[in-house]
Amino acid sequence: MPSHPTEITNNIAKPLILCDAEVRDLLPQLDVQGLMKSLFLALSDNTAVQPPQTLALLPNNAGDFITYLGAMAKEAVFGAKLSPYLITEQQPIITAWTSLMSMQTGQPLLWCDSSQLTVERTAGTTALAIDYLAPENSSHLALIGAGNIGLAHLRHVLKLRNWKTISLYAPELADNPARRDEIMTIDPRIQIATDASHCTKEADVIMLCTSSAQPVISLADIKPSAFITSISTNAANAHEVPPKLLNQADVYCDYQQTTPDSAGEMCLAANQHGWDKSQIRGDLASLVAQTCPLPDYDKPVFFRSIGLGLEDVAMAYGIWKLASQQLQ
């Protein structure tokens, strides 16, 4: 059970502290897509603040940590996710914890492990984009990537459209029949593709959920009207699509003020192919507010998400409310 919030020290209530297992217990009750929609609507009407993320290098080349910040006026909370990368003699240590504080009292409300929250908010953000941007008659779904984040994406989008087929490709599945069988039990429509081209060639919607720093699809292997989503990874200039795609596609992103300067394919497209971020047709804030044009679907559609501190704050707020209700 979470630490009880009513213990008082110097008239200050101690915050809830939730470990990964406690967060996972609460997650099935959380309306992730609803939380994401609310926060982007708040961004559109200026009742939320999304500062740029910051990278701090640790002394003596010991690693770094990224800080993701955000504040939401309606919920009266602000917070930060801290994600360190700690160099060791073995594998680096990577964790993520989110703090949530009250805008009314200035006191801490929550300190929680963010590992699975990050996975779910990433998938929920992509699902929100698909719900707004994918044609209603989309019937063929493709997923490249079979890790925790990829399968979370699959869970979040299964009911968004009437999918007739779901094609999935991940190179590591070739030598892991047990994992293939496990994935296919998720939904009877899932088919494991032998390579990326077979996975994407008939797809109306393609979700890229890999840690690759290089393109994982070819433009020759997608339909002219395909809708492609990408999350990519934190490697320098990482990109899951060829940067030249951006000049041939209707481009959208999670947040227009920050994504173009961080997303690898956008930076490369600008430097190498003359693409300009002014060509972005909209972001999630303008999509939920219905203030940007929808695609014409006469060309590919590309949606890029880099992850926002506000997403972490919104998820922490949702978990805090659930945990607080349990303790009442």
Side-chain angles (χ1 to χ4, degrees):
M1 288 295 293
S3 302
H4 203 284
T6 57
E7 183 180 348
I8 305 295
T9 303
N10 295 328
N11 295 321
I12 298 175
K14 287 187 176 181
L16 285 168
I17 300 175
L18 302 180
C19 68
D20 181 60
E22 292 164 334
V23 169
R24 288 174 185 267
D25 285 343
L26 293 167
L27 268 172
Q29 305 173 53
L30 202 61
D31 179 8
V32 177
Q33 197 172 329
L35 286 171
M36 296 302 100
K37 184 175 181 179
S38 294
L39 80 86
F40 284 107
L41 193 58
L43 268 179
S44 72
D45 62 20
N46 297 315
T47 57
V49 175
Q50 175 56 70
Q53 66 188 48
T54 62
L55 173 68
L57 302 179
L58 297 175
N60 303 316
N61 295 316
D64 60 55
F65 68 92
I66 301 174
T67 306
Y68 303 82
L69 304 167
M72 301 187 299
K74 180 180 177 182
E75 294 79 4
V77 294
F78 63 94
K81 182 177 78 173
L82 303 178
S83 182
Y85 179 94
L86 307 175
I87 297 173
T88 71
E89 293 182 358
Q90 288 78 41
Q91 293 293 321
I93 297 172
I94 304 172
T95 65
W97 283 73
T98 297
S99 63
L100 186 70
M101 298 182 69
S102 168
M103 289 172 60
Q104 297 172 329
T105 67
Q107 300 302 323
L109 302 171
L110 175 71
W111 184 240
C112 71
D113 188 295
S114 302
S115 301
Q116 193 60 28
L117 286 181
T118 301
V119 170
E120 298 299 327
R121 61 87 156 155
T122 303
T125 299
T126 297
L128 187 64
I130 288 175
D131 206 18
Y132 275 94
L133 291 170
E136 287 296 327
N137 63 352
S138 298
S139 59
H140 300 290
L141 174 67
L143 167 63
I144 296 184
N148 194 15
I149 291 181
L151 296 186
H153 274 66
L154 188 56
R155 289 198 315 272
H156 279 268
V157 305
L158 278 178
K159 296 182 180 180
L160 293 183
R161 295 293 186 272
N162 184 24
W163 309 115
K164 293 180 180 178
T165 64
I166 300 173
S167 182
L168 186 150
Y169 172 70
E172 67 270 18
L173 295 180
D175 300 320
N176 195 339
R179 180 63 170 165
R180 290 201 305 270
D181 292 343
E182 177 187 356
I183 289 172
M184 292 179 71
T185 64
I186 296 173
D187 190 282
R189 295 167 291 181
I190 294 175
Q191 303 167 356
I192 305 298
T194 56
D195 56 41
S197 63
H198 284 91
C199 183
T200 61
K201 63 180 180 180
E202 298 297 331
D204 302 308
V205 176
I206 302 167
M207 299 188 299
L208 306 180
C209 305
T210 76
S211 57
S212 175
Q214 299 296 325
V216 296
I217 62 170
S218 167
L219 300 185
D221 295 325
I222 65 171
K223 293 169 64 173
S225 59
F227 174 40
I228 305 158
T229 72
S230 173
I231 56 172
S232 198
T233 186
N234 286 334
N237 279 332
H239 53 290
E240 295 176 298
V241 301
K244 64 181 180 181
L245 166 68
L246 274 64
N247 279 327
Q248 305 170 25
D250 285 334
V251 179
Y252 296 80
C253 64
D254 48 357
Y255 191 43
Q256 208 159 340
Q257 294 188 34
T258 58
T259 303
D261 295 325
S262 298
E265 72 288 329
M266 292 186 175
C267 295
L268 293 172
N271 292 333
Q272 299 174 4
H273 301 286
W275 179 78
D276 190 272
K277 61 185 179 182
S278 64
Q279 295 172 241
I280 295 175
R281 290 171 63 89
D283 59 11
L284 282 176
S286 55
L287 282 167
V288 299
Q290 300 182 3
T291 58
C292 70
L294 293 176
D296 296 321
Y297 307 107
D298 57 352
K299 63 181 72 171
V301 180
F302 178 62
F303 172 79
R304 179 63 149 95
S305 171
I306 62 170
L308 304 177
L310 265 177
E311 296 170 14
D312 297 300
V313 173
M315 292 290 282
Y317 176 74
I319 286 291
W320 171 73
K321 285 185 67 177
L322 289 173
S324 299
Q325 290 168 6
Q326 282 193 356
L327 292 169
Q328 290 177 357

mmCIF file of all heavy atoms in Angstrom, residues 238-270:
data_model
loop_
_atom_site.group_PDB
_atom_site.id
_atom_site.type_symbol
_atom_site.label_atom_id
_atom_site.label_comp_id
_atom_site.label_asym_id
_atom_site.label_seq_id
_atom_site.Cartn_x
_atom_site.Cartn_y
_atom_site.Cartn_z
ATOM 1 N N ALA A 238 18.254 10.796 -33.515
ATOM 2 C CA ALA A 238 17.578 9.526 -33.782
ATOM 3 C C ALA A 238 16.333 9.772 -34.624
ATOM 4 O O ALA A 238 15.601 10.738 -34.415
ATOM 5 C CB ALA A 238 17.204 8.842 -32.472
ATOM 6 N N HIS A 239 16.097 8.878 -35.603
ATOM 7 C CA HIS A 239 14.938 9.045 -36.477
ATOM 8 C C HIS A 239 14.521 7.683 -37.006
ATOM 9 O O HIS A 239 15.349 6.920 -37.489
ATOM 10 C CB HIS A 239 15.239 10.014 -37.620
ATOM 11 C CG HIS A 239 16.471 9.692 -38.410
ATOM 12 N ND1 HIS A 239 17.746 9.833 -37.904
ATOM 13 C CD2 HIS A 239 16.625 9.233 -39.679
ATOM 14 C CE1 HIS A 239 18.639 9.473 -38.825
ATOM 15 N NE2 HIS A 239 17.983 9.096 -39.903
ATOM 16 N N GLU A 240 13.230 7.393 -36.918
ATOM 17 C CA GLU A 240 12.707 6.111 -37.381
ATOM 18 C C GLU A 240 12.221 6.173 -38.821
ATOM 19 O O GLU A 240 11.912 5.144 -39.416
ATOM 20 C CB GLU A 240 11.564 5.648 -36.476
ATOM 21 C CG GLU A 240 12.009 5.355 -35.039
ATOM 22 C CD GLU A 240 10.839 4.987 -34.141
ATOM 23 O OE1 GLU A 240 9.942 5.841 -33.963
ATOM 24 O OE2 GLU A 240 10.824 3.861 -33.625
ATOM 25 N N VAL A 241 12.128 7.377 -39.376
ATOM 26 C CA VAL A 241 11.707 7.550 -40.771
ATOM 27 C C VAL A 241 12.797 8.296 -41.533
ATOM 28 O O VAL A 241 13.559 9.069 -40.937
ATOM 29 C CB VAL A 241 10.374 8.324 -40.872
ATOM 30 C CG1 VAL A 241 9.273 7.600 -40.112
ATOM 31 C CG2 VAL A 241 10.533 9.760 -40.374
ATOM 32 N N PRO A 242 12.892 8.104 -42.843
ATOM 33 C CA PRO A 242 13.837 8.899 -43.631
ATOM 34 C C PRO A 242 13.470 10.384 -43.539
ATOM 35 O O PRO A 242 12.313 10.755 -43.758
ATOM 36 C CB PRO A 242 13.642 8.374 -45.061
ATOM 37 C CG PRO A 242 13.017 7.026 -44.897
ATOM 38 C CD PRO A 242 12.174 7.116 -43.666
ATOM 39 N N PRO A 243 14.422 11.260 -43.220
ATOM 40 C CA PRO A 243 14.096 12.685 -43.070
ATOM 41 C C PRO A 243 13.420 13.291 -44.302
ATOM 42 O O PRO A 243 12.589 14.196 -44.175
ATOM 43 C CB PRO A 243 15.466 13.325 -42.809
ATOM 44 C CG PRO A 243 16.256 12.244 -42.151
ATOM 45 C CD PRO A 243 15.816 10.970 -42.832
ATOM 46 N N LYS A 244 13.720 12.772 -45.491
ATOM 47 C CA LYS A 244 13.114 13.347 -46.700
ATOM 48 C C LYS A 244 11.612 13.111 -46.748
ATOM 49 O O LYS A 244 10.906 13.783 -47.536
ATOM 50 C CB LYS A 244 13.779 12.778 -47.950
ATOM 51 C CG LYS A 244 13.584 11.281 -48.155
ATOM 52 C CD LYS A 244 14.315 10.826 -49.414
ATOM 53 C CE LYS A 244 14.140 9.329 -49.658
ATOM 54 N NZ LYS A 244 14.869 8.884 -50.865
ATOM 55 N N LEU A 245 11.093 12.203 -45.936
ATOM 56 C CA LEU A 245 9.648 11.987 -45.880
ATOM 57 C C LEU A 245 8.904 13.270 -45.543
ATOM 58 O O LEU A 245 7.789 13.501 -46.025
ATOM 59 C CB LEU A 245 9.310 10.913 -44.835
ATOM 60 C CG LEU A 245 7.832 10.795 -44.420
ATOM 61 C CD1 LEU A 245 6.990 10.267 -45.580
ATOM 62 C CD2 LEU A 245 7.679 9.913 -43.194
ATOM 63 N N LEU A 246 9.507 14.134 -44.722
ATOM 64 C CA LEU A 246 8.789 15.302 -44.213
ATOM 65 C C LEU A 246 8.383 16.254 -45.325
ATOM 66 O O LEU A 246 7.357 16.938 -45.213
ATOM 67 C CB LEU A 246 9.622 16.023 -43.153
ATOM 68 C CG LEU A 246 9.471 15.464 -41.726
ATOM 69 C CD1 LEU A 246 9.979 14.035 -41.625
ATOM 70 C CD2 LEU A 246 10.172 16.342 -40.710
ATOM 71 N N ASN A 247 9.170 16.316 -46.401
ATOM 72 C CA ASN A 247 8.805 17.170 -47.532
ATOM 73 C C ASN A 247 7.700 16.558 -48.388
ATOM 74 O O ASN A 247 7.130 17.234 -49.246
ATOM 75 C CB ASN A 247 10.032 17.432 -48.408
ATOM 76 C CG ASN A 247 10.905 18.542 -47.835
ATOM 77 O OD1 ASN A 247 10.401 19.481 -47.214
ATOM 78 N ND2 ASN A 247 12.207 18.434 -48.041
ATOM 79 N N GLN A 248 7.386 15.301 -48.150
ATOM 80 C CA GLN A 248 6.386 14.601 -48.954
ATOM 81 C C GLN A 248 5.108 14.309 -48.162
ATOM 82 O O GLN A 248 4.192 13.686 -48.693
ATOM 83 C CB GLN A 248 6.967 13.276 -49.461
ATOM 84 C CG GLN A 248 8.274 13.423 -50.221
ATOM 85 C CD GLN A 248 8.935 12.081 -50.500
ATOM 86 O OE1 GLN A 248 8.273 11.042 -50.558
ATOM 87 N NE2 GLN A 248 10.244 12.091 -50.660
ATOM 88 N N ALA A 249 5.068 14.729 -46.892
ATOM 89 C CA ALA A 249 3.983 14.327 -46.002
ATOM 90 C C ALA A 249 3.313 15.534 -45.358
ATOM 91 O O ALA A 249 3.878 16.633 -45.306
ATOM 92 C CB ALA A 249 4.531 13.398 -44.918
ATOM 93 N N ASP A 250 2.104 15.313 -44.873
ATOM 94 C CA ASP A 250 1.475 16.253 -43.945
ATOM 95 C C ASP A 250 2.009 15.923 -42.555
ATOM 96 O O ASP A 250 1.833 14.802 -42.066
ATOM 97 C CB ASP A 250 -0.048 16.102 -43.973
ATOM 98 C CG ASP A 250 -0.673 16.696 -45.207
ATOM 99 O OD1 ASP A 250 -0.070 17.626 -45.788
ATOM 100 O OD2 ASP A 250 -1.769 16.250 -45.603
ATOM 101 N N VAL A 251 2.654 16.896 -41.916
ATOM 102 C CA VAL A 251 3.380 16.641 -40.671
ATOM 103 C C VAL A 251 2.644 17.247 -39.482
ATOM 104 O O VAL A 251 2.215 18.405 -39.523
ATOM 105 C CB VAL A 251 4.811 17.212 -40.751
ATOM 106 C CG1 VAL A 251 5.562 16.956 -39.447
ATOM 107 C CG2 VAL A 251 5.569 16.594 -41.929
ATOM 108 N N TYR A 252 2.527 16.448 -38.426
ATOM 109 C CA TYR A 252 1.950 16.873 -37.162
ATOM 110 C C TYR A 252 2.904 16.429 -36.043
ATOM 111 O O TYR A 252 3.782 15.592 -36.256
ATOM 112 C CB TYR A 252 0.574 16.240 -36.939
ATOM 113 C CG TYR A 252 -0.474 16.656 -37.940
ATOM 114 C CD1 TYR A 252 -0.526 16.057 -39.202
ATOM 115 C CD2 TYR A 252 -1.406 17.650 -37.637
ATOM 116 C CE1 TYR A 252 -1.492 16.437 -40.132
ATOM 117 C CE2 TYR A 252 -2.373 18.031 -38.564
ATOM 118 C CZ TYR A 252 -2.399 17.425 -39.805
ATOM 119 O OH TYR A 252 -3.349 17.802 -40.719
ATOM 120 N N CYS A 253 2.718 17.000 -34.853
ATOM 121 C CA CYS A 253 3.569 16.605 -33.729
ATOM 122 C C CYS A 253 2.798 16.772 -32.426
ATOM 123 O O CYS A 253 1.659 17.249 -32.421
ATOM 124 C CB CYS A 253 4.863 17.413 -33.702
ATOM 125 S SG CYS A 253 4.643 19.186 -33.431
ATOM 126 N N ASP A 254 3.449 16.397 -31.317
ATOM 127 C CA ASP A 254 2.764 16.525 -30.030
ATOM 128 C C ASP A 254 2.697 17.980 -29.578
ATOM 129 O O ASP A 254 1.652 18.449 -29.125
ATOM 130 C CB ASP A 254 3.379 15.625 -28.958
ATOM 131 C CG ASP A 254 4.891 15.710 -28.874
ATOM 132 O OD1 ASP A 254 5.514 16.434 -29.677
ATOM 133 O OD2 ASP A 254 5.468 15.023 -28.003
ATOM 134 N N TYR A 255 3.806 18.744 -29.734
ATOM 135 C CA TYR A 255 3.788 20.134 -29.289
ATOM 136 C C TYR A 255 4.688 20.955 -30.196
ATOM 137 O O TYR A 255 5.902 20.788 -30.213
ATOM 138 C CB TYR A 255 4.243 20.232 -27.832
ATOM 139 C CG TYR A 255 4.021 21.584 -27.197
ATOM 140 C CD1 TYR A 255 2.839 22.286 -27.381
ATOM 141 C CD2 TYR A 255 5.006 22.160 -26.394
ATOM 142 C CE1 TYR A 255 2.636 23.520 -26.788
ATOM 143 C CE2 TYR A 255 4.807 23.396 -25.783
ATOM 144 C CZ TYR A 255 3.625 24.064 -25.989
ATOM 145 O OH TYR A 255 3.420 25.306 -25.398
ATOM 146 N N GLN A 256 4.072 21.842 -30.957
ATOM 147 C CA GLN A 256 4.749 22.545 -32.030
ATOM 148 C C GLN A 256 5.865 23.464 -31.543
ATOM 149 O O GLN A 256 6.807 23.755 -32.281
ATOM 150 C CB GLN A 256 3.710 23.359 -32.823
ATOM 151 C CG GLN A 256 4.076 23.591 -34.269
ATOM 152 C CD GLN A 256 2.856 23.914 -35.118
ATOM 153 O OE1 GLN A 256 1.736 23.625 -34.732
ATOM 154 N NE2 GLN A 256 3.066 24.516 -36.270
ATOM 155 N N GLN A 257 5.805 23.918 -30.307
ATOM 156 C CA GLN A 257 6.802 24.863 -29.813
ATOM 157 C C GLN A 257 8.123 24.192 -29.439
ATOM 158 O O GLN A 257 9.146 24.862 -29.343
ATOM 159 C CB GLN A 257 6.253 25.625 -28.605
ATOM 160 C CG GLN A 257 5.085 26.543 -28.940
ATOM 161 C CD GLN A 257 4.683 27.425 -27.773
ATOM 162 O OE1 GLN A 257 5.522 27.844 -26.975
ATOM 163 N NE2 GLN A 257 3.394 27.699 -27.638
ATOM 164 N N THR A 258 8.110 22.893 -29.182
ATOM 165 C CA THR A 258 9.337 22.232 -28.719
ATOM 166 C C THR A 258 9.793 21.076 -29.606
ATOM 167 O O THR A 258 10.997 20.861 -29.762
ATOM 168 C CB THR A 258 9.151 21.700 -27.282
ATOM 169 O OG1 THR A 258 8.040 20.786 -27.263
ATOM 170 C CG2 THR A 258 8.892 22.834 -26.307
ATOM 171 N N THR A 259 8.869 20.337 -30.204
ATOM 172 C CA THR A 259 9.240 19.112 -30.921
ATOM 173 C C THR A 259 10.191 19.350 -32.094
ATOM 174 O O THR A 259 11.173 18.610 -32.248
ATOM 175 C CB THR A 259 7.975 18.374 -31.403
ATOM 176 O OG1 THR A 259 7.151 18.096 -30.271
ATOM 177 C CG2 THR A 259 8.327 17.077 -32.104
ATOM 178 N N PRO A 260 9.978 20.357 -32.965
ATOM 179 C CA PRO A 260 10.836 20.491 -34.148
ATOM 180 C C PRO A 260 12.312 20.688 -33.840
ATOM 181 O O PRO A 260 13.165 20.334 -34.662
ATOM 182 C CB PRO A 260 10.257 21.728 -34.859
ATOM 183 C CG PRO A 260 8.861 21.837 -34.373
ATOM 184 C CD PRO A 260 8.893 21.363 -32.957
ATOM 185 N N ASP A 261 12.624 21.257 -32.687
ATOM 186 C CA ASP A 261 14.022 21.505 -32.358
ATOM 187 C C ASP A 261 14.682 20.314 -31.668
ATOM 188 O O ASP A 261 15.891 20.349 -31.388
ATOM 189 C CB ASP A 261 14.140 22.735 -31.445
ATOM 190 C CG ASP A 261 13.694 24.003 -32.151
ATOM 191 O OD1 ASP A 261 13.924 24.110 -33.368
ATOM 192 O OD2 ASP A 261 13.099 24.875 -31.486
ATOM 193 N N SER A 262 13.908 19.248 -31.397
ATOM 194 C CA SER A 262 14.452 18.077 -30.716
ATOM 195 C C SER A 262 14.370 16.806 -31.545
ATOM 196 O O SER A 262 15.245 15.947 -31.445
ATOM 197 C CB SER A 262 13.724 17.853 -29.381
ATOM 198 O OG SER A 262 13.906 18.945 -28.498
ATOM 199 N N ALA A 263 13.319 16.658 -32.339
ATOM 200 C CA ALA A 263 13.110 15.428 -33.107
ATOM 201 C C ALA A 263 14.191 15.283 -34.180
ATOM 202 O O ALA A 263 14.393 16.184 -35.001
ATOM 203 C CB ALA A 263 11.725 15.441 -33.735
ATOM 204 N N GLY A 264 14.860 14.143 -34.200
ATOM 205 C CA GLY A 264 15.999 13.946 -35.088
ATOM 206 C C GLY A 264 15.679 14.119 -36.549
ATOM 207 O O GLY A 264 16.399 14.809 -37.289
ATOM 208 N N GLU A 265 14.576 13.493 -37.027
ATOM 209 C CA GLU A 265 14.263 13.584 -38.460
ATOM 210 C C GLU A 265 13.884 15.000 -38.850
ATOM 211 O O GLU A 265 14.125 15.430 -39.979
ATOM 212 C CB GLU A 265 13.162 12.581 -38.850
ATOM 213 C CG GLU A 265 11.769 12.915 -38.371
ATOM 214 C CD GLU A 265 11.615 12.731 -36.875
ATOM 215 O OE1 GLU A 265 12.291 11.851 -36.297
ATOM 216 O OE2 GLU A 265 10.833 13.483 -36.280
ATOM 217 N N MET A 266 13.313 15.791 -37.905
ATOM 218 C CA MET A 266 12.978 17.172 -38.211
ATOM 219 C C MET A 266 14.234 18.027 -38.327
ATOM 220 O O MET A 266 14.346 18.857 -39.244
ATOM 221 C CB MET A 266 12.024 17.728 -37.154
ATOM 222 C CG MET A 266 10.647 17.096 -37.192
ATOM 223 S SD MET A 266 9.483 17.870 -36.054
ATOM 224 C CE MET A 266 7.961 16.982 -36.484
ATOM 225 N N CYS A 267 15.165 17.818 -37.428
ATOM 226 C CA CYS A 267 16.438 18.554 -37.499
ATOM 227 C C CYS A 267 17.190 18.201 -38.777
ATOM 228 O O CYS A 267 17.723 19.083 -39.469
ATOM 229 C CB CYS A 267 17.295 18.241 -36.284
ATOM 230 S SG CYS A 267 16.607 18.797 -34.704
ATOM 231 N N LEU A 268 17.236 16.910 -39.125
ATOM 232 C CA LEU A 268 17.944 16.477 -40.324
ATOM 233 C C LEU A 268 17.228 16.944 -41.589
ATOM 234 O O LEU A 268 17.875 17.336 -42.567
ATOM 235 C CB LEU A 268 18.078 14.956 -40.324
ATOM 236 C CG LEU A 268 18.990 14.379 -39.226
ATOM 237 C CD1 LEU A 268 18.893 12.861 -39.207
ATOM 238 C CD2 LEU A 268 20.434 14.834 -39.424
ATOM 239 N N ALA A 269 15.899 16.901 -41.579
ATOM 240 C CA ALA A 269 15.152 17.363 -42.749
ATOM 241 C C ALA A 269 15.384 18.845 -42.992
ATOM 242 O O ALA A 269 15.472 19.295 -44.144
ATOM 243 C CB ALA A 269 13.664 17.084 -42.555
ATOM 244 N N ALA A 270 15.474 19.609 -41.907
ATOM 245 C CA ALA A 270 15.733 21.046 -42.042
ATOM 246 C C ALA A 270 17.141 21.302 -42.564
ATOM 247 O O ALA A 270 17.352 22.154 -43.450
ATOM 248 C CB ALA A 270 15.529 21.734 -40.700
#
